[in-house]
Amino acid sequence: MIELTKDNFEEEVLKAEGTVLVDFFGDGCVPCQALMPHVHAMEDTYGKQIKFASLNTTKARRLAIGQKILGLPVIAIYQGGEKVAECVKDDATVENIEEMIKKYL
Amino acid sequence: MSKIYDVIILGAGPGGLAAGLYSGRYRVSTLIIERGKDGGQIAITDEIENYPGQMLEGESGPSLIARMTQQAEKFGAERVSDVIDSVELDGPIKKLHGKKGTYECKSLIIATGAFPKPIGCKGEAEYMGKGVSYCATCDAAFFEDLEVFVVGGGDSAVEEAMYLTKYARKVTIIHRRDELRAAKSIQEKAFANPKIDFMWDTVIEELHGDEILSGMTVKNVKTGELTRVDADEDDGLFGVFGFIGYNPRSELFADKLEIENGYIKTDDNMRTNIPGVFAAGDVRVKSLRQVVTAAADGAIAAMQAEKYIAEQE
């Protein structure tokens, strides 16, 4: 899992070739912590086809808001510099995320 | 032919997992079905300080739930993730129809819990996670130095409003009545907090924005007057946090079980009006909805389910 920051987000996500999954999490976000191990497990399965990355929004608040992220957790798929799909909050279940990933393999 | 379980438990919160643990130990075949993430409401709870024995440093709701899950699985409870669309409760075999398949059992324990009540305004679903939230610990940090509105007037609304003042520039409590319902001690703290303001006799009618929330229409319930509230131009956005209580997740059983204000009625042994169907935790009519009471309900329901199955054989 690539650790994203406000300095490398553009290069690693927006200018990246292929498909990138971004796990947006935050320091106080308990459901994000609960979800994280499942996302790591998905990286083991799909990591060869999709680049997995995570961004701590607590340290990059403006960047997250710029990506229209105002609530956590969010698991998003980026292609060609655009966010093409996302699972937000209650919809960010392991099932839904895996379904979303399979659409972009 | 699909397997007929002795016990199916609907919901993997503290009630359902405790039931799974006890059923597993009774050596009856047990399946726990969960629609989303394990844990239910405690999955969005940072601190659990009132569950006996729960004193580990840095322990959160999810880590407690993870241990409960492990424990239930250790004693043989099976797990599946599915959303149940309809149920057939009549007769000796109960059927649950889900998105992935049909599940059959001799007895059913309903531990589906409760979920935060929506604010009930236009645009709420659209702006979920785009300005609308029910989880202050998740999303407060996004609103650092911005404006936030909190909907509700009870203990949790006022306490969460105070938590939000650690981040937000200004927090306005929107309440449909002209006084708070929260405990006096909590009210006093809120009234003394210079960052907290109030909009009395007010409800949100509609939310507005372009991808993210930046405006709303509020209504004065006494005068009927509508007012448009827009985010400060420099901010470009604000937050709306809803804390107006919980709804039981009982809609699957609405026309089948005895229900009171949405909650499933049971006796002291967690029995509903249908033999072999039990309810445990927040979804049932009770006076205290806590992790400790949900777990106790689950244990009782599992014991009664085992007894019921033995009587049928």
Side-chain angles (χ1 to χ4, degrees), chain A residues 28-31 34 57 61 64-65 68-72 83 86 88-89 92-93 95, chain B residues 36-37 43-46 62 81 100 129-131 133 137-139 141-142 144 211 237:
Chain A
C29 175
V30 177
T57 60
R61 193 175 68 95
I65 293 173
K68 315 288 182 200
I69 307 277
L70 273 171
L72 297 173
K83 188 166 66 183
E86 62 181 355
V88 179
K89 288 192 158 283
T93 62
E95 300 275 306
Chain B
K37 287 192 276 286
I44 61 165
T45 308
D46 185 20
S81 172
K100 291 182 188 164
K130 309 285 169 194
S133 176
T137 54
C138 302
D139 302 331
F142 286 113
E144 203 175 330
E211 289 191 75
L237 62 106

PDB file of all heavy atoms in Angstrom, chain A residues 28-31 34 57 61 64-65 68-72 83 86 88-89 92-93 95, chain B residues 36-37 43-46 62 81 100 129-131 133 137-139 141-142 144 211 237:
ATOM      1  N   GLY A  28      -9.158   9.908  13.766  1.00  0.00           N
ATOM      2  CA  GLY A  28     -10.155   9.521  14.768  1.00  0.00           C
ATOM      3  C   GLY A  28     -11.211   8.571  14.235  1.00  0.00           C
ATOM      4  O   GLY A  28     -12.154   8.245  14.935  1.00  0.00           O
ATOM      5  N   CYS A  29     -11.055   8.128  12.991  1.00  0.00           N
ATOM      6  CA  CYS A  29     -12.134   7.396  12.320  1.00  0.00           C
ATOM      7  C   CYS A  29     -12.076   5.906  12.636  1.00  0.00           C
ATOM      8  O   CYS A  29     -11.269   5.171  12.070  1.00  0.00           O
ATOM      9  CB  CYS A  29     -12.055   7.632  10.819  1.00  0.00           C
ATOM     10  SG  CYS A  29     -13.241   6.668   9.890  1.00  0.00           S
ATOM     11  N   VAL A  30     -12.945   5.490  13.535  1.00  0.00           N
ATOM     12  CA  VAL A  30     -12.935   4.095  13.977  1.00  0.00           C
ATOM     13  C   VAL A  30     -13.370   3.117  12.881  1.00  0.00           C
ATOM     14  O   VAL A  30     -12.722   2.096  12.673  1.00  0.00           O
ATOM     15  CB  VAL A  30     -13.784   3.956  15.264  1.00  0.00           C
ATOM     16  CG1 VAL A  30     -13.850   2.519  15.702  1.00  0.00           C
ATOM     17  CG2 VAL A  30     -13.186   4.810  16.369  1.00  0.00           C
ATOM     18  N   PRO A  31     -14.440   3.424  12.125  1.00  0.00           N
ATOM     19  CA  PRO A  31     -14.784   2.493  11.035  1.00  0.00           C
ATOM     20  C   PRO A  31     -13.684   2.369   9.983  1.00  0.00           C
ATOM     21  O   PRO A  31     -13.545   1.316   9.360  1.00  0.00           O
ATOM     22  CB  PRO A  31     -16.062   3.079  10.428  1.00  0.00           C
ATOM     23  CG  PRO A  31     -16.360   4.327  11.131  1.00  0.00           C
ATOM     24  CD  PRO A  31     -15.490   4.440  12.327  1.00  0.00           C
ATOM     25  N   ALA A  34     -11.369  -0.205  11.189  1.00  0.00           N
ATOM     26  CA  ALA A  34     -11.969  -1.531  11.062  1.00  0.00           C
ATOM     27  C   ALA A  34     -11.870  -2.043   9.626  1.00  0.00           C
ATOM     28  O   ALA A  34     -11.714  -3.232   9.384  1.00  0.00           O
ATOM     29  CB  ALA A  34     -13.424  -1.487  11.515  1.00  0.00           C
ATOM     30  N   THR A  57      -6.423  11.644   5.698  1.00  0.00           N
ATOM     31  CA  THR A  57      -7.021  12.952   5.395  1.00  0.00           C
ATOM     32  C   THR A  57      -6.813  13.959   6.516  1.00  0.00           C
ATOM     33  O   THR A  57      -6.901  15.161   6.288  1.00  0.00           O
ATOM     34  CB  THR A  57      -8.533  12.808   5.132  1.00  0.00           C
ATOM     35  OG1 THR A  57      -9.155  12.271   6.294  1.00  0.00           O
ATOM     36  CG2 THR A  57      -8.813  11.908   3.951  1.00  0.00           C
ATOM     37  N   ARG A  61      -6.234  17.649   4.734  1.00  0.00           N
ATOM     38  CA  ARG A  61      -7.652  17.973   4.747  1.00  0.00           C
ATOM     39  C   ARG A  61      -8.094  18.688   3.467  1.00  0.00           C
ATOM     40  O   ARG A  61      -9.088  18.327   2.849  1.00  0.00           O
ATOM     41  CB  ARG A  61      -7.920  18.868   5.963  1.00  0.00           C
ATOM     42  CG  ARG A  61      -9.351  19.065   6.311  1.00  0.00           C
ATOM     43  CD  ARG A  61      -9.427  19.861   7.587  1.00  0.00           C
ATOM     44  NE  ARG A  61      -8.975  21.222   7.391  1.00  0.00           N
ATOM     45  CZ  ARG A  61      -9.788  22.244   7.134  1.00  0.00           C
ATOM     46  NH1 ARG A  61     -11.077  22.049   7.032  1.00  0.00           N
ATOM     47  NH2 ARG A  61      -9.307  23.466   6.973  1.00  0.00           N
ATOM     48  N   ALA A  64      -8.204  16.402   0.486  1.00  0.00           N
ATOM     49  CA  ALA A  64      -9.376  15.520   0.518  1.00  0.00           C
ATOM     50  C   ALA A  64     -10.633  16.273   0.097  1.00  0.00           C
ATOM     51  O   ALA A  64     -11.409  15.783  -0.729  1.00  0.00           O
ATOM     52  CB  ALA A  64      -9.547  14.927   1.917  1.00  0.00           C
ATOM     53  N   ILE A  65     -10.800  17.484   0.626  1.00  0.00           N
ATOM     54  CA  ILE A  65     -11.994  18.260   0.272  1.00  0.00           C
ATOM     55  C   ILE A  65     -11.983  18.567  -1.224  1.00  0.00           C
ATOM     56  O   ILE A  65     -13.008  18.503  -1.892  1.00  0.00           O
ATOM     57  CB  ILE A  65     -12.086  19.556   1.120  1.00  0.00           C
ATOM     58  CG1 ILE A  65     -12.328  19.191   2.595  1.00  0.00           C
ATOM     59  CG2 ILE A  65     -13.201  20.469   0.612  1.00  0.00           C
ATOM     60  CD1 ILE A  65     -12.272  20.367   3.562  1.00  0.00           C
ATOM     61  N   LYS A  68     -13.595  16.129  -3.140  1.00  0.00           N
ATOM     62  CA  LYS A  68     -15.007  16.023  -2.738  1.00  0.00           C
ATOM     63  C   LYS A  68     -15.212  14.966  -1.649  1.00  0.00           C
ATOM     64  O   LYS A  68     -16.213  14.267  -1.636  1.00  0.00           O
ATOM     65  CB  LYS A  68     -15.928  15.711  -3.944  1.00  0.00           C
ATOM     66  CG  LYS A  68     -15.649  16.522  -5.191  1.00  0.00           C
ATOM     67  CD  LYS A  68     -16.069  17.959  -5.036  1.00  0.00           C
ATOM     68  CE  LYS A  68     -15.820  18.725  -6.332  1.00  0.00           C
ATOM     69  NZ  LYS A  68     -15.753  20.174  -6.094  1.00  0.00           N
ATOM     70  N   ILE A  69     -14.218  14.831  -0.806  1.00  0.00           N
ATOM     71  CA  ILE A  69     -14.321  13.887   0.308  1.00  0.00           C
ATOM     72  C   ILE A  69     -14.560  14.706   1.579  1.00  0.00           C
ATOM     73  O   ILE A  69     -13.706  15.483   1.998  1.00  0.00           O
ATOM     74  CB  ILE A  69     -13.013  13.072   0.469  1.00  0.00           C
ATOM     75  CG1 ILE A  69     -12.601  12.404  -0.835  1.00  0.00           C
ATOM     76  CG2 ILE A  69     -13.135  12.076   1.638  1.00  0.00           C
ATOM     77  CD1 ILE A  69     -13.235  11.126  -1.175  1.00  0.00           C
ATOM     78  N   LEU A  70     -15.725  14.511   2.183  1.00  0.00           N
ATOM     79  CA  LEU A  70     -16.060  15.239   3.415  1.00  0.00           C
ATOM     80  C   LEU A  70     -16.583  14.294   4.489  1.00  0.00           C
ATOM     81  O   LEU A  70     -17.131  14.738   5.497  1.00  0.00           O
ATOM     82  CB  LEU A  70     -17.130  16.290   3.121  1.00  0.00           C
ATOM     83  CG  LEU A  70     -16.641  17.657   2.644  1.00  0.00           C
ATOM     84  CD1 LEU A  70     -17.807  18.493   2.182  1.00  0.00           C
ATOM     85  CD2 LEU A  70     -15.906  18.382   3.770  1.00  0.00           C
ATOM     86  N   GLY A  71     -16.477  13.007   4.240  1.00  0.00           N
ATOM     87  CA  GLY A  71     -16.951  12.029   5.214  1.00  0.00           C
ATOM     88  C   GLY A  71     -16.210  10.730   5.006  1.00  0.00           C
ATOM     89  O   GLY A  71     -15.865  10.390   3.871  1.00  0.00           O
ATOM     90  N   LEU A  72     -15.937  10.033   6.106  1.00  0.00           N
ATOM     91  CA  LEU A  72     -15.117   8.822   6.035  1.00  0.00           C
ATOM     92  C   LEU A  72     -15.884   7.616   6.566  1.00  0.00           C
ATOM     93  O   LEU A  72     -16.804   7.788   7.347  1.00  0.00           O
ATOM     94  CB  LEU A  72     -13.853   9.006   6.874  1.00  0.00           C
ATOM     95  CG  LEU A  72     -12.909  10.116   6.397  1.00  0.00           C
ATOM     96  CD1 LEU A  72     -11.780  10.302   7.408  1.00  0.00           C
ATOM     97  CD2 LEU A  72     -12.345   9.803   5.013  1.00  0.00           C
ATOM     98  N   LYS A  83     -11.638  10.570 -10.431  1.00  0.00           N
ATOM     99  CA  LYS A  83     -12.288   9.603  -9.547  1.00  0.00           C
ATOM    100  C   LYS A  83     -13.471   9.022 -10.310  1.00  0.00           C
ATOM    101  O   LYS A  83     -14.392   9.749 -10.669  1.00  0.00           O
ATOM    102  CB  LYS A  83     -12.747  10.304  -8.268  1.00  0.00           C
ATOM    103  CG  LYS A  83     -13.265   9.352  -7.216  1.00  0.00           C
ATOM    104  CD  LYS A  83     -13.393  10.020  -5.848  1.00  0.00           C
ATOM    105  CE  LYS A  83     -14.457  11.099  -5.852  1.00  0.00           C
ATOM    106  NZ  LYS A  83     -14.572  11.814  -4.588  1.00  0.00           N
ATOM    107  N   GLU A  86     -16.675   5.339  -6.178  1.00  0.00           N
ATOM    108  CA  GLU A  86     -16.317   5.390  -4.766  1.00  0.00           C
ATOM    109  C   GLU A  86     -17.370   4.693  -3.916  1.00  0.00           C
ATOM    110  O   GLU A  86     -18.538   4.619  -4.293  1.00  0.00           O
ATOM    111  CB  GLU A  86     -16.115   6.839  -4.292  1.00  0.00           C
ATOM    112  CG  GLU A  86     -17.353   7.692  -4.392  1.00  0.00           C
ATOM    113  CD  GLU A  86     -17.129   9.139  -3.935  1.00  0.00           C
ATOM    114  OE1 GLU A  86     -16.048   9.472  -3.449  1.00  0.00           O
ATOM    115  OE2 GLU A  86     -18.085   9.935  -4.059  1.00  0.00           O
ATOM    116  N   VAL A  88     -18.755   5.107  -0.108  1.00  0.00           N
ATOM    117  CA  VAL A  88     -18.702   6.118   0.948  1.00  0.00           C
ATOM    118  C   VAL A  88     -19.441   5.642   2.197  1.00  0.00           C
ATOM    119  O   VAL A  88     -20.552   5.119   2.108  1.00  0.00           O
ATOM    120  CB  VAL A  88     -19.349   7.438   0.451  1.00  0.00           C
ATOM    121  CG1 VAL A  88     -19.332   8.504   1.537  1.00  0.00           C
ATOM    122  CG2 VAL A  88     -18.642   7.934  -0.792  1.00  0.00           C
ATOM    123  N   LYS A  89     -18.805   5.821   3.354  1.00  0.00           N
ATOM    124  CA  LYS A  89     -19.452   5.571   4.658  1.00  0.00           C
ATOM    125  C   LYS A  89     -20.111   4.193   4.738  1.00  0.00           C
ATOM    126  O   LYS A  89     -19.450   3.204   4.545  1.00  0.00           O
ATOM    127  CB  LYS A  89     -20.433   6.702   4.971  1.00  0.00           C
ATOM    128  CG  LYS A  89     -19.698   7.993   5.317  1.00  0.00           C
ATOM    129  CD  LYS A  89     -20.645   9.018   5.902  1.00  0.00           C
ATOM    130  CE  LYS A  89     -19.878  10.037   6.711  1.00  0.00           C
ATOM    131  NZ  LYS A  89     -19.464   9.542   8.007  1.00  0.00           N
ATOM    132  N   ALA A  92     -19.361   1.625   2.248  1.00  0.00           N
ATOM    133  CA  ALA A  92     -17.991   1.112   2.173  1.00  0.00           C
ATOM    134  C   ALA A  92     -17.890  -0.200   2.955  1.00  0.00           C
ATOM    135  O   ALA A  92     -17.200  -0.306   3.952  1.00  0.00           O
ATOM    136  CB  ALA A  92     -16.996   2.142   2.699  1.00  0.00           C
ATOM    137  N   THR A  93     -18.610  -1.204   2.471  1.00  0.00           N
ATOM    138  CA  THR A  93     -18.503  -2.542   3.064  1.00  0.00           C
ATOM    139  C   THR A  93     -17.523  -3.355   2.229  1.00  0.00           C
ATOM    140  O   THR A  93     -17.258  -3.022   1.066  1.00  0.00           O
ATOM    141  CB  THR A  93     -19.859  -3.262   3.063  1.00  0.00           C
ATOM    142  OG1 THR A  93     -20.294  -3.423   1.706  1.00  0.00           O
ATOM    143  CG2 THR A  93     -20.911  -2.465   3.830  1.00  0.00           C
ATOM    144  N   GLU A  95     -17.911  -6.185   0.859  1.00  0.00           N
ATOM    145  CA  GLU A  95     -18.620  -6.695  -0.327  1.00  0.00           C
ATOM    146  C   GLU A  95     -18.686  -5.649  -1.436  1.00  0.00           C
ATOM    147  O   GLU A  95     -18.329  -5.921  -2.581  1.00  0.00           O
ATOM    148  CB  GLU A  95     -20.066  -7.032   0.050  1.00  0.00           C
ATOM    149  CG  GLU A  95     -20.192  -8.060   1.119  1.00  0.00           C
ATOM    150  CD  GLU A  95     -20.139  -9.434   0.534  1.00  0.00           C
ATOM    151  OE1 GLU A  95     -20.931  -9.685  -0.381  1.00  0.00           O
ATOM    152  OE2 GLU A  95     -19.297 -10.234   0.979  1.00  0.00           O
TER     153      GLU A  95
ATOM    154  N   GLY B  36     -23.467  -5.858   6.677  1.00  0.00           N
ATOM    155  CA  GLY B  36     -22.393  -4.903   6.391  1.00  0.00           C
ATOM    156  C   GLY B  36     -21.156  -5.246   7.192  1.00  0.00           C
ATOM    157  O   GLY B  36     -20.640  -6.343   7.128  1.00  0.00           O
ATOM    158  N   LYS B  37     -20.693  -4.274   7.965  1.00  0.00           N
ATOM    159  CA  LYS B  37     -19.525  -4.494   8.811  1.00  0.00           C
ATOM    160  C   LYS B  37     -19.972  -5.039  10.163  1.00  0.00           C
ATOM    161  O   LYS B  37     -21.019  -4.651  10.668  1.00  0.00           O
ATOM    162  CB  LYS B  37     -18.787  -3.170   9.035  1.00  0.00           C
ATOM    163  CG  LYS B  37     -18.039  -2.703   7.798  1.00  0.00           C
ATOM    164  CD  LYS B  37     -17.094  -1.570   8.131  1.00  0.00           C
ATOM    165  CE  LYS B  37     -17.751  -0.210   8.135  1.00  0.00           C
ATOM    166  NZ  LYS B  37     -18.078   0.334   6.826  1.00  0.00           N
ATOM    167  N   ALA B  43     -19.284  -0.170  15.947  1.00  0.00           N
ATOM    168  CA  ALA B  43     -18.231  -0.013  14.940  1.00  0.00           C
ATOM    169  C   ALA B  43     -17.916   1.465  14.694  1.00  0.00           C
ATOM    170  O   ALA B  43     -16.871   1.786  14.146  1.00  0.00           O
ATOM    171  CB  ALA B  43     -18.632  -0.695  13.639  1.00  0.00           C
ATOM    172  N   ILE B  44     -18.827   2.366  15.062  1.00  0.00           N
ATOM    173  CA  ILE B  44     -18.491   3.787  14.920  1.00  0.00           C
ATOM    174  C   ILE B  44     -18.294   4.431  16.289  1.00  0.00           C
ATOM    175  O   ILE B  44     -18.412   5.633  16.458  1.00  0.00           O
ATOM    176  CB  ILE B  44     -19.512   4.585  14.070  1.00  0.00           C
ATOM    177  CG1 ILE B  44     -20.911   4.559  14.684  1.00  0.00           C
ATOM    178  CG2 ILE B  44     -19.558   4.075  12.649  1.00  0.00           C
ATOM    179  CD1 ILE B  44     -21.836   5.607  14.082  1.00  0.00           C
ATOM    180  N   THR B  45     -17.990   3.606  17.277  1.00  0.00           N
ATOM    181  CA  THR B  45     -17.783   4.124  18.624  1.00  0.00           C
ATOM    182  C   THR B  45     -16.319   4.045  18.975  1.00  0.00           C
ATOM    183  O   THR B  45     -15.703   2.987  18.890  1.00  0.00           O
ATOM    184  CB  THR B  45     -18.619   3.313  19.640  1.00  0.00           C
ATOM    185  OG1 THR B  45     -19.964   3.283  19.181  1.00  0.00           O
ATOM    186  CG2 THR B  45     -18.553   3.946  21.013  1.00  0.00           C
ATOM    187  N   ASP B  46     -15.787   5.188  19.333  1.00  0.00           N
ATOM    188  CA  ASP B  46     -14.362   5.262  19.617  1.00  0.00           C
ATOM    189  C   ASP B  46     -14.069   4.623  20.970  1.00  0.00           C
ATOM    190  O   ASP B  46     -13.236   3.738  21.095  1.00  0.00           O
ATOM    191  CB  ASP B  46     -13.942   6.731  19.599  1.00  0.00           C
ATOM    192  CG  ASP B  46     -12.460   6.895  19.757  1.00  0.00           C
ATOM    193  OD1 ASP B  46     -11.737   5.916  19.501  1.00  0.00           O
ATOM    194  OD2 ASP B  46     -12.025   7.977  20.142  1.00  0.00           O
ATOM    195  N   PRO B  62     -14.404  -1.413  17.448  1.00  0.00           N
ATOM    196  CA  PRO B  62     -14.068  -2.490  16.517  1.00  0.00           C
ATOM    197  C   PRO B  62     -13.156  -3.567  17.105  1.00  0.00           C
ATOM    198  O   PRO B  62     -13.292  -4.748  16.779  1.00  0.00           O
ATOM    199  CB  PRO B  62     -13.370  -1.766  15.367  1.00  0.00           C
ATOM    200  CG  PRO B  62     -13.943  -0.408  15.410  1.00  0.00           C
ATOM    201  CD  PRO B  62     -14.173  -0.098  16.858  1.00  0.00           C
ATOM    202  N   SER B  81     -21.859 -13.105   4.834  1.00  0.00           N
ATOM    203  CA  SER B  81     -22.214 -11.708   4.635  1.00  0.00           C
ATOM    204  C   SER B  81     -23.286 -11.651   3.560  1.00  0.00           C
ATOM    205  O   SER B  81     -23.042 -12.033   2.412  1.00  0.00           O
ATOM    206  CB  SER B  81     -20.954 -10.951   4.212  1.00  0.00           C
ATOM    207  OG  SER B  81     -21.296  -9.650   3.842  1.00  0.00           O
ATOM    208  N   LYS B 100     -27.769 -13.437  -1.908  1.00  0.00           N
ATOM    209  CA  LYS B 100     -26.910 -14.516  -2.402  1.00  0.00           C
ATOM    210  C   LYS B 100     -27.581 -15.874  -2.358  1.00  0.00           C
ATOM    211  O   LYS B 100     -27.094 -16.816  -2.968  1.00  0.00           O
ATOM    212  CB  LYS B 100     -25.648 -14.601  -1.548  1.00  0.00           C
ATOM    213  CG  LYS B 100     -24.708 -13.437  -1.712  1.00  0.00           C
ATOM    214  CD  LYS B 100     -23.506 -13.711  -0.840  1.00  0.00           C
ATOM    215  CE  LYS B 100     -22.584 -12.531  -0.758  1.00  0.00           C
ATOM    216  NZ  LYS B 100     -21.661 -12.704   0.370  1.00  0.00           N
ATOM    217  N   GLY B 129     -21.721  11.985   3.376  1.00  0.00           N
ATOM    218  CA  GLY B 129     -20.272  11.954   3.157  1.00  0.00           C
ATOM    219  C   GLY B 129     -19.763  13.115   2.323  1.00  0.00           C
ATOM    220  O   GLY B 129     -18.583  13.197   2.010  1.00  0.00           O
ATOM    221  N   LYS B 130     -20.678  14.007   1.945  1.00  0.00           N
ATOM    222  CA  LYS B 130     -20.311  15.209   1.175  1.00  0.00           C
ATOM    223  C   LYS B 130     -20.728  16.442   1.961  1.00  0.00           C
ATOM    224  O   LYS B 130     -21.051  17.480   1.386  1.00  0.00           O
ATOM    225  CB  LYS B 130     -21.022  15.203  -0.188  1.00  0.00           C
ATOM    226  CG  LYS B 130     -20.880  13.920  -0.980  1.00  0.00           C
ATOM    227  CD  LYS B 130     -19.510  13.807  -1.591  1.00  0.00           C
ATOM    228  CE  LYS B 130     -19.284  12.414  -2.147  1.00  0.00           C
ATOM    229  NZ  LYS B 130     -17.866  12.177  -2.441  1.00  0.00           N
ATOM    230  N   GLY B 131     -20.807  16.283   3.279  1.00  0.00           N
ATOM    231  CA  GLY B 131     -21.248  17.382   4.141  1.00  0.00           C
ATOM    232  C   GLY B 131     -22.212  16.907   5.213  1.00  0.00           C
ATOM    233  O   GLY B 131     -22.290  17.487   6.277  1.00  0.00           O
ATOM    234  N   SER B 133     -23.295  14.006   7.913  1.00  0.00           N
ATOM    235  CA  SER B 133     -22.651  12.934   8.670  1.00  0.00           C
ATOM    236  C   SER B 133     -23.447  12.613   9.922  1.00  0.00           C
ATOM    237  O   SER B 133     -24.190  13.455  10.434  1.00  0.00           O
ATOM    238  CB  SER B 133     -21.237  13.378   9.073  1.00  0.00           C
ATOM    239  OG  SER B 133     -20.621  12.396   9.873  1.00  0.00           O
ATOM    240  N   THR B 137     -16.772  11.664  15.318  1.00  0.00           N
ATOM    241  CA  THR B 137     -15.369  11.262  15.437  1.00  0.00           C
ATOM    242  C   THR B 137     -14.768  10.937  14.067  1.00  0.00           C
ATOM    243  O   THR B 137     -13.569  11.055  13.879  1.00  0.00           O
ATOM    244  CB  THR B 137     -15.192  10.044  16.368  1.00  0.00           C
ATOM    245  OG1 THR B 137     -16.047   8.994  15.926  1.00  0.00           O
ATOM    246  CG2 THR B 137     -15.527  10.388  17.804  1.00  0.00           C
ATOM    247  N   CYS B 138     -15.622  10.519  13.116  1.00  0.00           N
ATOM    248  CA  CYS B 138     -15.110  10.226  11.766  1.00  0.00           C
ATOM    249  C   CYS B 138     -14.781  11.505  11.005  1.00  0.00           C
ATOM    250  O   CYS B 138     -13.768  11.581  10.316  1.00  0.00           O
ATOM    251  CB  CYS B 138     -16.156   9.484  10.931  1.00  0.00           C
ATOM    252  SG  CYS B 138     -16.715   7.942  11.616  1.00  0.00           S
ATOM    253  N   ASP B 139     -15.682  12.481  11.086  1.00  0.00           N
ATOM    254  CA  ASP B 139     -15.677  13.547  10.089  1.00  0.00           C
ATOM    255  C   ASP B 139     -15.424  14.959  10.627  1.00  0.00           C
ATOM    256  O   ASP B 139     -15.326  15.902   9.847  1.00  0.00           O
ATOM    257  CB  ASP B 139     -17.011  13.535   9.328  1.00  0.00           C
ATOM    258  CG  ASP B 139     -17.262  12.189   8.656  1.00  0.00           C
ATOM    259  OD1 ASP B 139     -16.263  11.521   8.311  1.00  0.00           O
ATOM    260  OD2 ASP B 139     -18.419  11.798   8.502  1.00  0.00           O
ATOM    261  N   ALA B 141     -12.852  16.455  11.711  1.00  0.00           N
ATOM    262  CA  ALA B 141     -11.601  17.096  11.295  1.00  0.00           C
ATOM    263  C   ALA B 141     -11.718  17.818   9.952  1.00  0.00           C
ATOM    264  O   ALA B 141     -10.977  18.766   9.688  1.00  0.00           O
ATOM    265  CB  ALA B 141     -10.473  16.067  11.235  1.00  0.00           C
ATOM    266  N   PHE B 142     -12.641  17.365   9.097  1.00  0.00           N
ATOM    267  CA  PHE B 142     -12.814  18.051   7.809  1.00  0.00           C
ATOM    268  C   PHE B 142     -13.294  19.493   7.991  1.00  0.00           C
ATOM    269  O   PHE B 142     -13.141  20.317   7.101  1.00  0.00           O
ATOM    270  CB  PHE B 142     -13.851  17.314   6.947  1.00  0.00           C
ATOM    271  CG  PHE B 142     -13.332  16.043   6.363  1.00  0.00           C
ATOM    272  CD1 PHE B 142     -13.842  14.826   6.754  1.00  0.00           C
ATOM    273  CD2 PHE B 142     -12.332  16.060   5.409  1.00  0.00           C
ATOM    274  CE1 PHE B 142     -13.363  13.648   6.220  1.00  0.00           C
ATOM    275  CE2 PHE B 142     -11.842  14.891   4.861  1.00  0.00           C
ATOM    276  CZ  PHE B 142     -12.358  13.678   5.262  1.00  0.00           C
ATOM    277  N   GLU B 144     -12.496  21.786  10.254  1.00  0.00           N
ATOM    278  CA  GLU B 144     -11.635  22.674  11.008  1.00  0.00           C
ATOM    279  C   GLU B 144     -11.790  24.104  10.488  1.00  0.00           C
ATOM    280  O   GLU B 144     -11.705  24.349   9.274  1.00  0.00           O
ATOM    281  CB  GLU B 144     -10.181  22.215  10.860  1.00  0.00           C
ATOM    282  CG  GLU B 144      -9.330  22.700  11.998  1.00  0.00           C
ATOM    283  CD  GLU B 144      -7.921  22.139  11.913  1.00  0.00           C
ATOM    284  OE1 GLU B 144      -7.734  21.031  11.384  1.00  0.00           O
ATOM    285  OE2 GLU B 144      -7.008  22.841  12.362  1.00  0.00           O
ATOM    286  N   GLU B 211     -22.081  19.002  -5.792  1.00  0.00           N
ATOM    287  CA  GLU B 211     -21.259  17.857  -5.360  1.00  0.00           C
ATOM    288  C   GLU B 211     -20.999  17.838  -3.861  1.00  0.00           C
ATOM    289  O   GLU B 211     -21.030  16.792  -3.235  1.00  0.00           O
ATOM    290  CB  GLU B 211     -19.940  17.764  -6.130  1.00  0.00           C
ATOM    291  CG  GLU B 211     -20.125  17.332  -7.577  1.00  0.00           C
ATOM    292  CD  GLU B 211     -18.818  16.989  -8.227  1.00  0.00           C
ATOM    293  OE1 GLU B 211     -18.271  15.915  -7.936  1.00  0.00           O
ATOM    294  OE2 GLU B 211     -18.323  17.830  -9.012  1.00  0.00           O
ATOM    295  N   LEU B 237     -18.368  25.735   1.897  1.00  0.00           N
ATOM    296  CA  LEU B 237     -19.047  24.510   2.331  1.00  0.00           C
ATOM    297  C   LEU B 237     -19.282  24.575   3.833  1.00  0.00           C
ATOM    298  O   LEU B 237     -18.667  25.371   4.537  1.00  0.00           O
ATOM    299  CB  LEU B 237     -18.200  23.273   2.004  1.00  0.00           C
ATOM    300  CG  LEU B 237     -16.826  23.182   2.671  1.00  0.00           C
ATOM    301  CD1 LEU B 237     -16.837  22.146   3.784  1.00  0.00           C
ATOM    302  CD2 LEU B 237     -15.768  22.827   1.669  1.00  0.00           C
TER     303      LEU B 237
END
